[in-house]
Amino acid sequence: MTNEDEVRWLDADQQDIWRSYLEGTARFVEALESIHAAELPLSLGEYGLLVKLSEQPDRTLRMSALADGLVVSRSRLSHTVARMEERGLVYRCAASGDRRGVNCRLTDAGYAALVDAAPGHVRAVRRLMVDVLEPEEFEVLGRVMAKVAAAGRAATEATGTPKGRTDC
Amino acid sequence: MTNEDEVRWLDADQQDIWRSYLEGTARFVEALESIHAAELPLSLGEYGLLVKLSEQPDRTLRMSALADGLVVSRSRLSHTVARMEERGLVYRCAASGDRRGVNCRLTDAGYAALVDAAPGHVRAVRRLMVDVLEPEEFEVLGRVMAKVAAAGRAATEATGTPKGRTDC
DNA sequence: GTCGTGTAGTTGATGGCTCAACTACCTTCC
DNA sequence: GGAAGGTAGTTGAGCCATCAACTACACGAC
């Protein structure tokens, strides 16, 4: 399984690309998170959570769906939502139908924070990514990362315990 | 500054691309980290650190250079290296020339761990990214992320306190 | 020389994340 | 109907990252 003879190493060009990817993602999130921390009322993670909620019909989503959508563990989401609930950004209530379920709902204050943060967020995303690329480059990036997302999803479902799953 | 009239929002296509990017990076690191945790003797972060060291002439690098190369704060690197030092993977010693400086050096055990982890790491990177893309797609990804890296670097240097800097 | 400022790195307190364990509920099957 | 196993979500302990403060050294100006 760890037999070295079978390994197809990356050639020099592939290594360069790989390192560009690693550095690019690292610098990008570093810059975006620091803009959120310095100028906006929500961290990048909180912003993403509120965006997801705001897109739902009743600004409401099941905890599990939210965790899957944000690609975080259920445990982490529980803790995060608990903190955001204390700040009045969201609140939890029982889900109808399945008595195990819990809904997470965006409050008016949460929506207001989202509206407040959105312009700065979009400006930052443009400055750090969208506007530094040619339109075609940006499009390819989207196609490419959709493929990568699918591969990751497949790998996570197939083998290891995804995130915070007790089953298997 | 947060005047909404001036904001150039993303159109529907751009939003799709942006979300593909977010989900792709999230699922990718999730899968890669879980492979490291389950099958390899080093976490993804530790692996990256040892790779950087192994590329240096004497398998040695200044702490500050290491922090910059890995895009992490000096504080975080200090803690991480302290833990890895306890495991015998690296060790620190005074740098020559500048008496403030500290060198981080790869031990034989650290190199052995790297050699041990490398095949599984490369296999995972291929399965999760390189091999799911057309060669041209992968090349574009490299070009694109190099641009993004540059933009992030510029933003971080220009404005906010980068990571763990006390100056400014 | 020493004052001021900048750089290198560490440290400890705080807060968030992870992991495993747990409750509670649903579903299936006999 | 009840036993077994799956799903939904939470909790607390321990680990890791972050932040601000700190030591120590370097360098330039006067």
Side-chain angles (χ1 to χ4, degrees):
Chain A
M1 186 58 175
T2 316
N3 188 342
E4 191 159 336
D5 303 284
E6 300 171 1
V7 179
R8 290 160 43 234
W9 300 101
L10 301 185
D11 65 34
D13 289 344
Q14 288 174 321
Q15 280 207 28
D16 283 348
I17 295 170
W18 168 238
R19 276 150 206 240
S20 294
Y21 173 79
L22 283 182
E23 192 191 344
T25 52
R27 300 238 181 244
F28 177 74
V29 301
E30 180 192 19
L32 187 55
E33 279 179 345
S34 102
I35 288 173
H36 270 263
E39 305 174 10
L40 305 177
L42 299 167
S43 75
L44 181 57
E46 292 163 349
Y47 183 83
L49 195 155
L50 296 191
V51 166
K52 278 265 186 284
L53 287 183
S54 74
E55 290 165 346
Q56 301 314 119
D58 290 325
R59 295 179 180 171
T60 302
L61 206 53
R62 282 285 288 270
M63 289 293 281
S64 51
L66 198 46
D68 289 354
L70 297 171
V71 195
V72 301
S73 70
R74 286 154 196 246
S75 168
R76 176 168 167 180
L77 183 65
S78 265
H79 288 296
T80 304
V81 166
R83 286 188 299 266
M84 294 177 75
E85 200 170 21
E86 292 212 350
R87 289 167 54 196
L89 299 169
V90 299
Y91 72 90
R92 281 177 285 192
C93 53
S96 59
D98 189 334
R99 275 191 302 169
R100 295 167 302 180
V102 172
N103 278 335
C104 185
R105 192 175 207 287
L106 188 55
T107 63
D108 289 342
Y111 186 74
L114 186 58
V115 168
D116 197 22
H121 172 82
V122 171
R123 253 192 292 266
V125 169
R126 278 199 175 273
R127 182 158 70 94
L128 296 170
M129 177 172 286
V130 181
D131 288 352
V132 305
L133 302 176
E134 304 299 325
E136 320 85 56
E137 289 177 332
F138 188 50
E139 277 170 34
V140 175
L141 179 64
R143 278 212 319 276
V144 159
M145 292 312 289
K147 282 189 177 183
V148 171
R153 216 165 12 227
T156 302
E157 277 165 15
T159 58
T161 299
K163 279 212 162 184
R165 295 274 178 80
T166 315
D167 57 301
C168 244
Chain B
M1 186 58 175
T2 315
N3 188 342
E4 190 158 336
D5 304 282
E6 300 170 1
V7 180
R8 290 159 44 233
W9 300 101
L10 301 186
D11 64 35
D13 290 343
Q14 289 173 321
Q15 280 208 27
D16 284 349
I17 296 171
W18 168 239
R19 277 150 206 241
S20 294
Y21 173 78
L22 284 183
E23 192 191 344
T25 52
R27 299 237 181 246
F28 177 75
V29 301
E30 179 192 19
L32 187 54
E33 279 180 346
S34 102
I35 288 173
H36 270 263
E39 304 174 11
L40 304 178
L42 299 167
S43 76
L44 181 58
E46 292 163 349
Y47 182 84
L49 193 155
L50 296 191
V51 166
K52 278 265 186 283
L53 287 184
S54 73
E55 290 165 346
Q56 301 315 118
D58 292 322
R59 295 180 180 171
T60 302
L61 205 53
R62 282 286 288 272
M63 290 292 281
S64 52
L66 198 47
D68 288 353
L70 297 171
V71 195
V72 301
S73 71
R74 287 153 195 244
S75 168
R76 176 167 167 181
L77 183 65
S78 265
H79 289 296
T80 304
V81 166
R83 287 188 298 265
M84 295 177 75
E85 200 170 22
E86 291 212 352
R87 288 166 55 195
L89 299 170
V90 299
Y91 72 91
R92 281 176 286 191
C93 52
S96 60
D98 190 333
R99 275 190 299 170
R100 294 167 303 179
V102 172
N103 278 335
C104 185
R105 193 176 206 287
L106 189 55
T107 64
D108 290 342
Y111 186 74
L114 186 57
V115 168
D116 196 22
H121 172 81
V122 172
R123 252 192 291 267
V125 169
R126 278 199 175 275
R127 182 158 69 92
L128 295 170
M129 177 173 286
V130 182
D131 288 351
V132 305
L133 301 177
E134 304 299 326
E136 320 87 56
E137 289 177 331
F138 188 50
E139 278 169 33
V140 175
L141 179 64
R143 278 212 319 275
V144 159
M145 292 313 288
K147 281 190 178 183
V148 171
R153 215 164 16 226
T156 302
E157 276 165 17
T159 58
T161 299
K163 279 213 162 185
R165 296 273 178 80
T166 315
D167 57 302
C168 246

